[in-house]
Amino acid sequence: MFSSDTNYNPQLAEFAKRADVLVHEALYLPWVDRLVTRVKNGATLRKHLLESHTAAEDVGRIADAANVKVLVMSHLVPDDPDVTDDDWRSEAAKNFKGRIVVARDLMELRLPL
């Protein structure tokens, strides 16, 4: 199952129910909170990002509710080297105890994972 550019929607878990792999875009919320303090239109930007993406913690919540085998987080916002793979995994792992893969540009994953 693939999900991209969507805010948190618990109903996605029904679509992904018992999937081997859930590929879901993710937003690193601590980065958003730091960014909005530094830009002029911070409140507007924050609103847009939250309406357009799913926080990594909520991505984990969807993966857990769907009981998927593997969560692949992709289309990461931000694409910032200061946000590490461990940061991404840590956020999703708050709610999902399964295998978490942080997908990066040009990464190839071979099935089954």
Side-chain angles (χ1 to χ4, degrees), residues 8 14 40 55 61 65 81 90 101 109:
Y8 176 58
E14 284 302 311
K40 185 175 182 179
R61 189 171 281 115
S90 176
V101 176
L109 300 172

Side-chain angles (χ1 to χ4, degrees), residues 27-92:
L27 173 69
Y28 188 70
L29 203 48
W31 174 86
V32 172
D33 293 338
R34 289 191 302 264
L35 172 68
V36 298
T37 64
R38 298 188 319 250
V39 296
K40 185 175 182 179
N41 63 341
T44 303
L45 178 59
R46 186 176 199 285
K47 181 178 184 294
H48 164 73
L49 290 170
L50 294 179
E51 289 176 351
S52 305
H53 301 286
T54 304
E57 183 176 346
D58 289 332
V59 172
R61 189 171 281 115
I62 291 168
D64 181 67
N67 197 30
V68 299
K69 293 178 183 173
V70 179
L71 169 60
V72 177
M73 291 192 297
S74 68
H75 185 57
L76 306 173
V77 178
D79 181 12
D80 184 327
D82 288 338
V83 182
T84 68
D85 289 1
D86 286 340
D87 292 330
W88 289 107
R89 274 191 289 275
S90 176
E91 287 294 301

